[in-house]
Amino acid sequence: MKDEIQVGFIGNPNCGKTTLFNAYTGANLKVANWPGVTVEKKEGVFKYHNHRFKLVDLPGIYSLTSYTMEERLTREYILNSNVDVIVNIVDASSLERNLYLTLQLIELGKPVVMALNMMDIVEERGMEIDLHRLPEMLGIPVVPVSARKKTGLDILMHTVAHHRSKHMDQNLEHHHLKSAEKDPGHKHHEHRHEHHMEYTVVYNDKIEDKIDEISEFLQRKYGEMVNPRWHAIKIMELDESVLKKYPLELKGIVYNSYEEEIINQKYDFIEEIIEEVLVNKNKKAASTDKIDRILTHRYLGLPIFLLIMAFVFFLTFQIGDFVKGGFEVTLGAFSSGARYFLTTIHAGNFITSLLVDGVIAGVGGILTFLPNIFILFLALAYLEDSGYMSRVAYIMDGIMGKLGLSGRAFIPMLLGFGCTVPAIMASRSLENMRDSRRTILITPFMSCSARLPIYVLFSQMFFGKYAMLAAYSMYLLGIIVAILVAFAMNNKSDKNVGNTLLIELPEYKSPNIRTILIYVWEKVKEYLTKAGTTIFAASVIIWFILNFGTSGMVTDMSQSFGAMLGRMLEPVLAPAGLGMWQVVVALISGIAAKEIVVSSFSVLFHIGNITSPSGMASLTDILGQYGFGALNAYALMVFSLLYTPCAATIGVIQREMRSTKWTLFVIIFQLGIALLVSTLVYQIGSLFF
Amino acid sequence: MTLQNAKIGAVYTVKSLDLDRATTRRLEALGLTKGTDIKILNRSRGGSLILMVRGSRLAVGGKIAETIHTEEVS
């Protein structure tokens, strides 16, 4: 017996799966991708009694067909990995819908334990679930848990440990009344099959006969096949991936797909279960409906959403900047301390300059933006965890529909305010490839948090009391450009229903602090890692190309390699008011990560503490000497907003698209848009100012 | 009649779905099958609906709603 128990967590989206997973593993988890795809894979290990449990968090799914990548992945995992027990997390407040996945999981044949979550919502509504009858009808153990209050956790793992070698250990007690009523020839006590004693889901005689026939065939042809019954059912549904793996001469057995009958009979059984186990159905109106009456109101829904977003950005900029002040003072002290220390130990000019002007200026400048980014991600996580995010899809559906996209495409766009990389991954959940592509094309225009340092710095330097307005306008401009591009790309002749909205609206819940903090911590960790790796490396490289020229180390930066490179491209950016080699270098380096535009300015102009009032004042002075004023700064902000996304984003676009041609198109297209819009802004602006 | 001209607050039974296979399967996974009772909770100005289906709420775009044929439950 192996001493590690592998447990797969499976459930519908919004069933509290991640919260439950986090309750066991805490922040102590390994996040990677499933092989070959960009679906996230989370794993955590913990010990309980003498067992070591390895938990695997699978994607949230509604069904186990092979229609989506997430569903196929989950199915493959259950069938082919050495998972010992499946924990099926079920939202008790929508038990009926959740049971559909449960029945499919049970049919797969691995041991299943149900974790019945959100019982508090059920009780709040005055409903009750018969916890004695439910396991009897399903033939699997049912453990009530609360992921939020962390109750039932030990019992669940105890059950998992005991259940791992058992497939069906409980006495099944069900009689399939519904199918008997609908099928007059079918009498339960005269059933030719013993299946009611063996299997949870039993179909009518016609289908059961076929299943038996096909599974016999399969066993004869493929010998030691695991769970021939499941494969037989899938073959009757004409499931492509099963038919491909186990080709079978179907003539004379399956003429057409039985998929619809199989699905309907599963739902018949679910109705039967609900009738028996759910007491006081619909006793009290759910509080969700009361909240929805306001938040999804015909006329108020949209203004409320806009107000919420305005509030999110207010917090990000105002409160974030307030906290940022403290970070700047620390950085300033650290920078001068380091310079003093390096001078006293007689470190050479080279080392001192590299460390203080290169590394500390570049990386430190970025770290001071941590408070803004923390607040932004906190707010986005709150919106997501509360259940509001999917309402946004409903509210925006009308507007998005005019662009030929479903309201659902707005969710990746909204996530894009945080970070473009996960936003692009989220666009995969869209119904068809064409919509995903269009969404991927416009998502980078939604201003991500990495571009925020650029706005904060330049708007504070040049726009005084209008700084916040200038920064806000970037977000607005990004949205407008995204909408225009989506509109231009819209193929109106397309009458496909594939891109219409279809999304579940979960119950509202007060967000779980732990889930949110773990999520935000992951983001902060990513940000710190980026500062320590990409931004660190880029700062060092920039320092080198700016301090070395054809004649070795140079004292005048304008003789450096960087200056030479920048001058070559000056003419291209000149119409946008950005024809300074320093700006060109900063923008090129920004492709590694957008924050580096700010780091580059610190390195370029030898400003150790770029975000402090004195640092900003001296940068404004220096730039002023080159004739770089407010309008140039605004054009720079516009260009930074729109141009080629960062290397990480380009990477994820390539992986999602699997097309180098398309990825190149995205890069060039966005560079073109950025040049066009910033030139327009600068040229038109020049007429007035 | 189709769901498109359904009344807010009323309950309907699904008679048939006139959709492509993939969308039909997605609806089925969310609990919306032939014979299911649906309560209409809300309708947006753009024509999207919020439905109560088997104890959970779904937001459905107008183009899908117009292909779902229903009968009012008295």
Side-chain angles (χ1 to χ4, degrees):
Chain A
M1 204 200 270
K2 59 176 183 170
D3 50 3
E4 186 182 83
I5 305 177
Q6 202 185 122
V7 186
F9 272 43
I10 302 179
N12 285 184
N14 309 307
C15 66
K17 185 166 62 71
T18 305
T19 307
L20 187 66
F21 185 84
N22 287 341
Y24 283 110
T25 61
N28 178 24
L29 46 89
K30 211 173 75 193
V31 185
N33 277 341
W34 290 93
V37 290
T38 49
V39 178
E40 226 175 46
K41 179 188 192 180
K42 282 189 199 154
E43 282 182 8
V45 175
F46 77 102
K47 277 195 180 122
Y48 169 69
H49 286 193
N50 291 315
H51 295 291
R52 227 172 94 91
F53 289 89
K54 181 177 161 194
L55 305 188
V56 180
D57 194 16
L58 289 134
I61 49 171
Y62 292 109
S63 169
L64 275 182
T65 52
S66 51
Y67 289 101
T68 72
M69 190 198 289
E70 281 81 0
E71 292 179 5
R72 271 197 301 274
L73 210 67
T74 307
R75 228 168 76 169
E76 289 301 305
Y77 170 80
I78 302 171
L79 285 172
N80 302 332
S81 76
N82 32 16
V83 61
D84 296 294
V85 181
I86 303 292
V87 169
N88 173 215
I89 297 100
V90 164
D91 172 359
S93 69
S94 56
L95 181 64
E96 189 169 349
R97 217 256 339 280
N98 279 252
L99 279 176
Y100 185 60
L101 180 65
T102 307
L103 294 189
Q104 291 182 314
L105 287 172
I106 294 173
E107 229 165 32
L108 269 170
K110 282 264 165 98
V112 179
V113 173
M114 182 189 287
L116 200 56
N117 196 14
M118 306 201 193
M119 287 292 277
D120 39 346
I121 298 181
V122 174
E123 280 162 28
E124 196 185 293
R125 276 198 232 151
M127 288 163 21
E128 277 176 277
I129 292 175
D130 187 339
L131 290 174
H132 175 72
R133 187 75 186 114
L134 184 60
E136 223 173 44
M137 293 188 82
L138 290 173
I140 58 168
V142 175
V143 183
V145 297
S146 169
R148 279 152 194 278
K149 291 178 193 149
K150 293 198 183 192
T151 55
L153 299 189
D154 283 354
I155 301 174
L156 179 61
M157 280 306 136
H158 193 102
T159 313
V160 165
H162 277 278
H163 197 64
R164 67 161 143 165
S165 50
K166 300 171 191 171
H167 286 231
M168 255 347 137
D169 61 342
Q170 315 221 345
N171 292 327
L172 281 165
E173 289 280 345
H174 55 202
H175 22 35
H176 284 196
L177 285 168
K178 280 258 171 172
S179 44
E181 282 164 18
K182 285 190 182 171
D183 188 2
H186 174 127
K187 284 211 181 76
H188 158 64
H189 57 274
E190 288 172 3
H191 205 296
R192 278 169 286 159
H193 306 274
E194 291 296 303
H195 293 166
H196 278 279
M197 318 289 285
E198 296 172 73
Y199 304 116
T200 304
V201 193
V202 184
Y203 303 92
N204 65 19
D205 283 358
K206 186 180 89 186
I207 291 186
E208 285 295 338
D209 287 345
K210 287 269 181 230
I211 294 174
D212 286 353
E213 196 180 344
I214 297 169
S215 31
E216 261 173 56
F217 260 175
L218 283 169
Q219 270 167 306
R220 240 179 289 143
K221 190 165 174 192
Y222 295 102
E224 296 294 290
M225 172 188 246
V226 239
N227 198 353
R229 180 181 166 86
W230 180 80
H231 284 93
I233 293 171
K234 285 290 133 184
I235 284 170
M236 290 177 65
E237 292 179 353
L238 300 181
D239 184 282
E240 276 171 34
S241 59
V242 171
L243 280 174
K244 215 156 127 197
K245 207 167 164 195
Y246 301 103
L248 206 64
E249 187 52 60
L250 292 174
K251 246 182 220 142
I253 313 171
V254 180
Y255 298 101
N256 51 351
S257 171
Y258 289 86
E259 194 172 17
E260 207 170 320
E261 280 177 72
I262 290 172
I263 292 168
N264 285 339
Q265 290 187 30
K266 278 205 182 85
Y267 273 117
D268 286 344
F269 181 42
I270 290 171
E271 277 171 29
E272 208 175 294
I273 297 173
I274 292 295
E275 252 163 54
E276 289 207 33
V277 305
L278 201 62
V279 189
N280 290 339
K281 216 171 150 188
N282 298 330
K283 197 179 171 192
K284 253 190 240 167
S287 49
T288 292
D289 290 325
K290 286 181 206 151
I291 302 171
D292 262 345
R293 234 164 270 160
I294 301 162
L295 292 186
T296 63
H297 188 275
R298 271 174 92 83
Y299 299 102
L300 295 178
L302 188 60
I304 290 175
F305 167 61
L306 294 177
L307 272 178
I308 291 175
M309 287 319 288
F311 184 63
V312 167
F313 289 120
F314 170 78
L315 289 179
T316 307
F317 289 113
Q318 295 300 90
I319 311 292
D321 282 351
F322 181 73
V323 186
K324 202 177 84 195
F327 276 64
E328 282 155 10
V329 174
T330 318
L331 175 68
F334 183 72
S335 174
S336 21
R339 193 182 290 276
Y340 178 76
F341 174 75
L342 289 166
T343 318
T344 48
I345 61 163
H346 301 291
N349 200 18
F350 173 82
I351 295 288
T352 310
S353 172
L354 173 64
L355 289 180
V356 179
D357 302 328
V359 176
I360 297 177
V363 177
I366 292 311
L367 288 182
T368 57
F369 290 98
L370 202 55
N372 302 88
I373 287 168
F374 177 81
I375 293 174
L376 182 63
F377 277 112
L378 196 67
L380 286 177
Y382 186 91
L383 292 183
E384 173 113 58
D385 200 45
S386 65
Y388 183 63
M389 207 64 113
S390 51
R391 267 79 184 180
V392 173
Y394 169 77
I395 294 166
M396 293 301 290
D397 191 51
I399 294 172
M400 296 300 282
K402 294 205 172 67
L403 307 175
L405 286 166
S406 98
R408 198 166 180 163
F410 197 74
I411 296 180
M413 290 171 71
L414 196 58
L415 291 174
F417 285 138
C419 176
T420 317
V421 172
I424 288 196
M425 289 187 195
S427 66
R428 185 184 37 230
S429 69
L430 290 169
E431 292 64 48
N432 62 52
M433 188 70 174
R434 226 174 36 88
D435 282 13
S436 305
R437 286 199 163 175
R438 278 205 297 154
T439 311
I440 287 177
L441 188 64
I442 61 174
T443 300
F445 292 132
M446 308 305 281
S447 186
C448 72
S449 60
R451 282 168 260 186
L452 188 145
I454 307 174
Y455 312 148
V456 173
L457 178 69
F458 283 91
S459 57
Q460 280 180 355
M461 273 166 46
F462 289 96
F463 298 100
K465 61 179 174 175
Y466 300 111
M468 196 159 135
L469 206 65
Y472 270 159
S473 70
M474 286 300 118
Y475 286 85
L476 206 63
L477 180 69
I479 296 173
I480 292 169
V481 171
I483 288 176
L484 289 177
V485 169
F487 191 72
M489 295 272 178
N490 185 16
N491 179 5
K492 286 197 194 66
S493 59
D494 189 57
K495 288 269 185 289
N496 190 358
V497 291
N499 59 7
T500 14
L501 180 69
L502 179 54
I503 194 171
E504 187 205 355
L505 305 180
E507 298 268 337
Y508 286 110
K509 47 194 189 230
S510 54
N512 182 264
I513 311 240
R514 199 182 155 87
T515 307
I516 289 186
L517 284 182
I518 287 174
Y519 173 85
V520 174
W521 168 237
E522 273 173 34
K523 296 293 160 195
V524 167
K525 216 164 57 182
E526 270 169 33
Y527 189 76
L528 291 175
T529 316
K530 187 157 73 167
T533 54
T534 318
I535 297 176
F536 173 82
S539 300
V540 171
I541 292 169
I542 289 163
W543 182 85
F544 266 104
I545 66 164
L546 289 174
N547 284 282
F548 284 83
T550 40
S551 53
M553 195 165 174
V554 293
T555 40
D556 180 8
M557 267 193 198
S558 61
Q559 304 298 316
S560 67
F561 289 122
M564 284 153 65
L565 175 72
R567 281 202 199 93
M568 265 168 26
L569 294 168
E570 257 177 20
V572 184
L573 286 169
L578 303 173
M580 263 171 81
W581 68 262
Q582 291 94 331
V583 174
V584 178
V585 170
L587 288 172
I588 293 175
S589 59
I591 294 176
K594 291 279 170 101
E595 299 95 333
I596 297 174
V597 173
V598 170
S599 322
S600 302
F601 271 94
S602 347
V603 181
L604 275 158
F605 298 104
H606 290 295
I607 296 163
N609 196 356
I610 200 165
T611 51
S612 68
S614 64
M616 283 197 263
S618 50
L619 184 56
T620 317
D621 274 354
I622 302 171
L623 287 172
Q625 288 164 20
Y626 288 92
F628 187 99
L631 187 57
N632 304 73
Y634 199 74
L636 176 70
M637 284 158 68
V638 171
F639 192 87
S640 306
L641 163 72
L642 302 173
Y643 85 120
T644 307
C646 69
T649 305
I650 295 172
V652 78
I653 291 177
Q654 164 67 20
R655 268 184 302 165
E656 285 292 320
M657 287 294 164
R658 292 159 192 257
S659 151
T660 314
K661 215 171 79 188
W662 231 88
T663 311
L664 279 173
F665 169 71
V666 172
I667 295 172
I668 293 164
F669 177 76
Q670 283 171 344
L671 196 60
I673 293 274
L675 262 176
L676 179 74
V677 180
S678 56
T679 303
L680 278 176
V681 165
Y682 185 70
Q683 295 299 337
I684 295 171
S686 307
L687 301 176
F688 294 96
F689 303 106
Chain B
M1 61 173 288
T2 68
L3 267 192
Q4 186 119 84
N5 16 37
K7 291 185 296 255
I8 294 175
V11 179
Y12 299 85
T13 306
V14 177
K15 286 288 148 200
S16 66
L17 299 148
D18 188 13
L19 283 160
D20 60 292
R21 191 171 136 113
T23 313
T24 310
R25 295 294 165 264
R26 286 204 304 131
L27 279 169
E28 278 163 0
L30 290 163
L32 205 156
T33 54
K34 218 160 96 180
T36 314
D37 282 353
I38 294 176
K39 189 177 175 192
I40 315 292
L41 296 180
N42 205 346
R43 176 189 277 116
S44 76
R45 279 187 293 163
S48 323
L49 295 167
I50 299 183
L51 316 171
M52 178 64 102
V53 180
R54 296 185 194 269
S56 57
R57 292 169 196 78
L58 296 185
V60 171
K63 270 198 234 163
I64 290 181
E66 69 189 16
T67 63
I68 302 176
H69 298 273
T70 56
E71 198 169 80
E72 191 166 352
V73 176
S74 46

